[in-house]
Amino acid sequence: MAEIKLNNVCVEAGGARLLHNASASFRPGELIALIGPNGAGKTTLLKCALALTAPSAGTVTLNGKAIADFSPIERARLVSYLPQSRPLAWPVRVCDVVALGRYAYGASTTKLKGEDASAVAEAMRDCGLNHLADRRTNTLSGGELARVHCARAFAAKAPFLIADEPVASLDPSHQFQIMTLIRAYVDNGGGAVVVLHDIALAARFADRLIWMKDGEINANGAPEETLTTAQMKQIFAVSAVIAKDHNGWSLTVTGDD
Amino acid sequence: MSDRALIPLLSAIALTAIIAACLVGSTTMSPGRLLAAMVGAGGAGDAIVLWEIRLPRAIAAFVVGAALGLCGAALQGLLRNPLAEPGVLGVSACASLGATLALFYGAAALSPIAVPVAAISGALAATALLAFAAIHTSSVITLILIGFGLSSFAGALMALLLNLAPNPFTLSDLISWTLGSVANRSFDDILLAAPFMIVGLVFIVLSRRALSALSLGEEAAHGLGVDLPRARGFVILGTGLVTGAAVSIAGAIGFIGIMAPHLVRPLVGYDPARTLAPSAILGGVILVLADIGVRLIPSPAELRLGVVAALIGAPAFVWIAIGRGRTHG
């Protein structure tokens, strides 16, 4: 069965403990939100799952095989990645960025054929980019650019998506759009791990919340089980009012301890 | 314009430029005489001028320009920076330092490949240092500054060699390496450098898709399946070999690697992979035209190609840097 599994993973860098005994598993059909303050180790955990960072202890496996033993191409066919910083060195065309999503299949951006062409077309359509296909990325708004990066990640058609703050600096409408796209990807059988800072948004879209602090996983469970005022106080040191009704979750931070 | 039209168009321009380079010179040759010399029907003098002097020189200018245009495009893709270039990053200077050392210490007399090998070693040392720096810093300015430091250091060592030159002949040899020229090059010089260039070209071509993926940044490229250490290694090895081989033909010639990719990029959708080939051809064209200029501009001593290339290229560099500052804030 397809699974990304972290087992007691520790990461140390320059004497600092970035991740300590983190264990978690990610499976298709599940949207997992990583939650925690800045510096909690969320990005480090994702990087371990992608073989971007080598753990100092513990194991990371993908479908039962150590992640470090995968060739970059093999890994990319199973896990697509949307990093936190998404610099674009050149004002490339939208369609060319999305086509890069097919890199692991050997596709060249100029001559897309068969499966590559249909995967790119599908990702462009799903993310509402058809009318922007020939636009240069430096002429797009932040929201449009976020959709381009999502489409690029979806075009890989990988069973797993790892997204580090995919909705950072987006307006509420675009945050919703992007999360809806990721939710649809999961409902179609993908497995997504997403770092989010908007906890109400995370609770609304995610099946499971993984709470992190100081490099450790503090809690791991459905929003109904783990999204509590006590948890908010423990992780973020804030008082919060949390409610769930037919509109979904709402969360108001009422004080800073 | 589509890429498919661009490469044939540039190739036609390149061919025209090389033919023009064969026509002009101290005595202008008419197209009829050129044709006759080419098929061996003309005078013996014309045949020598064409086959021994003008054509090798034009081909040398084209090959060197193409090498620099290609390396500029490849380094810019790898470092994600339009100002990266063998000259600006000190790769050419280190290559010519290597070649100069080989000449100075007489290694050139031992084996004909001593100079190319020395030039390539210098270029590889510089590209390796730059790549090492590129892994540890994301700052483009830092890289340019390291390149500046490398150029200055190589320049200082070259100046030291000039200072210590035992006789005027060595001195003039050393000066021609520093200034860059394709005058008096033979087909042998080109053939000596060719194998290194071809191997380097293969390394660069093999990493072209990785260069496109790197447009999205290193982390995203890793996620896409790019083997980053391999891509870096290939581009560094490739540009080191190609630049070193180019320097072994013509000495240090700067800025071609900046101008050619900059002009080509908008025509190929800013894709680093698609920039490589047209930028190589255009680099060749620029240098052939610059060399025609060198021969036509009346001057007491023959102008050096590297000097003319820098006179055109340095302002272009400043212009690109200012444009970049405006768009990147």
Side-chain angles (χ1 to χ4, degrees):
Chain A
M1 182 188 175
E3 184 181 40
I4 298 177
K5 200 168 169 61
L6 289 87
N7 197 5
N8 290 321
V9 173
C10 304
V11 176
E12 273 161 42
R17 202 177 77 170
L18 301 182
L19 205 58
H20 187 68
N21 281 341
S23 297
S25 69
F26 313 130
R27 293 193 191 90
E30 209 178 18
L31 201 171
I32 293 167
L34 282 185
I35 292 173
N38 300 117
K42 305 181 297 290
T43 299
T44 308
L45 188 145
L46 296 187
K47 286 186 174 174
C48 286
L50 284 153
L52 261 173
T53 299
S56 47
T59 56
V60 182
T61 57
L62 171 56
N63 299 349
K65 177 176 159 185
I67 189 83
D69 292 344
F70 281 82
S71 78
I73 295 281
E74 280 174 337
R75 190 204 58 240
R77 287 183 181 187
L78 295 171
V79 189
S80 71
Y81 176 40
L82 204 52
Q84 189 174 344
S85 75
R86 298 184 275 271
L88 278 160
W90 315 103
V92 276
R93 276 191 314 234
V94 167
C95 54
D96 289 344
V97 174
V98 180
L100 282 174
R102 300 301 293 173
Y103 181 90
Y105 293 88
S108 123
T109 49
T110 36
K111 297 177 286 258
L112 285 174
K113 290 189 205 89
E115 252 178 77
D116 296 324
S118 61
V120 168
E122 201 178 309
M124 298 268 292
R125 193 197 57 224
D126 290 349
C127 296
L129 294 172
N130 281 345
H131 64 294
L132 299 174
D134 288 320
R135 281 271 291 277
R136 305 215 165 280
T137 45
N138 60 344
T139 66
L140 300 180
S141 72
E144 289 166 334
L145 209 49
R147 297 210 307 270
V148 172
H149 287 293
C150 268
R152 191 271 292 160
F154 291 145
K157 296 230 165 231
F160 289 101
L161 168 70
I162 290 180
D164 199 349
E165 298 195 28
V167 301
S169 72
L170 294 183
D171 62 47
S173 137
H174 276 103
Q175 293 192 2
F176 221 83
Q177 269 186 36
I178 297 290
M179 287 312 295
T180 307
L181 287 169
I182 295 176
R183 185 71 241 179
Y185 162 82
V186 170
D187 292 339
N188 286 322
V193 187
V194 181
V195 172
L196 290 175
H197 280 296
D198 183 332
I199 290 149
L201 193 74
R204 173 183 293 276
F205 284 97
D207 300 303
R208 210 148 43 92
L209 306 179
I210 293 182
W211 297 77
M212 294 187 72
K213 192 179 185 182
D214 300 330
E216 292 184 41
I217 293 180
N218 176 286
N220 180 348
E224 286 76 9
E225 298 161 24
T226 57
L227 180 48
T228 60
T229 48
Q231 188 68 18
M232 285 298 288
K233 181 158 280 184
Q234 200 181 356
I235 297 289
F236 293 102
V238 293
S239 310
V241 176
I242 299 163
K244 190 190 182 189
D245 58 20
H246 62 281
N247 288 320
W249 291 89
S250 63
L251 182 145
T252 314
V253 174
T254 56
D256 188 354
D257 288 5
Chain B
M1 187 177 352
S2 81
D3 308 13
R4 276 191 204 97
L6 184 62
I7 290 175
L9 177 72
L10 281 173
S11 305
I13 295 175
L15 198 63
T16 314
I18 290 172
I19 292 170
C22 292
L23 293 174
V24 300
S26 50
T27 54
T28 310
M29 217 187 262
S30 70
R33 269 172 70 193
L34 178 75
L35 204 65
M38 202 164 267
V39 297
D46 280 0
I48 289 174
V49 167
L50 174 67
W51 291 106
E52 305 289 325
I53 301 171
R54 288 191 188 168
L55 190 60
R57 180 175 183 157
I59 301 275
F62 181 79
V63 167
V64 169
L68 296 172
L70 177 77
C71 290
L75 285 173
Q76 288 165 23
L78 181 71
L79 302 176
R80 300 187 299 287
N81 172 7
L83 298 177
E85 194 251 350
V88 172
L89 294 177
V91 180
S92 303
C94 291
S96 49
L97 176 65
T100 316
L101 281 171
L103 286 172
F104 192 87
Y105 288 106
L110 299 177
S111 159
I113 67 158
V115 172
V117 166
I120 287 163
S121 310
L124 282 176
T127 39
L129 184 76
L130 287 162
F132 178 77
I135 295 167
H136 292 273
T137 171
S138 55
S139 160
V140 158
I141 294 166
T142 308
L143 274 182
I144 302 276
L145 290 177
I146 292 171
F148 176 74
L150 271 179
S151 294
S152 305
F153 187 62
L157 288 175
M158 300 261 279
L160 180 67
L161 291 179
L162 290 178
N163 194 182
L164 298 178
N167 56 57
F169 300 107
T170 319
L171 193 64
S172 91
D173 246 9
L174 295 182
I175 287 173
S176 53
W177 279 93
T178 336
L179 299 184
S181 168
V182 288
N184 308 320
R185 294 301 181 271
S186 70
F187 282 123
D188 287 345
D189 294 318
I190 302 169
L191 286 177
L192 209 55
F196 301 103
M197 279 200 185
I198 291 166
V199 174
L201 177 70
V202 169
F203 277 118
I204 292 174
V205 169
L206 284 176
S207 20
R208 70 191 186 288
R209 291 181 61 245
L211 294 178
S212 293
L214 276 166
S215 317
L216 304 180
E218 297 208 334
E219 284 191 1
H222 168 92
L224 288 172
V226 174
D227 188 336
L228 286 177
R230 178 177 175 265
R232 281 192 204 108
F234 275 25
V235 174
I236 287 155
L237 209 58
T239 50
L241 284 166
V242 173
T243 306
V247 168
S248 79
I249 296 176
I253 292 174
F255 301 105
I256 300 295
I258 286 231
M259 284 187 283
H262 181 75
L263 294 171
V264 159
R265 210 172 273 123
L267 306 175
V268 294
Y270 293 85
D271 179 348
R274 280 181 272 161
T275 307
L276 293 174
S279 145
I281 305 172
L282 184 62
V285 169
I286 294 174
L287 210 56
V288 171
L289 294 180
D291 191 50
I292 292 177
V294 162
R295 288 185 287 150
L296 290 186
I297 297 167
S299 58
E302 182 173 300
L303 287 175
R304 298 295 186 161
L305 184 54
V307 176
V308 174
L311 282 174
I312 311 168
F317 174 83
V318 172
W319 184 57
I320 295 168
I322 290 174
R324 187 178 150 77
R326 218 185 288 127
T327 51
H328 287 68

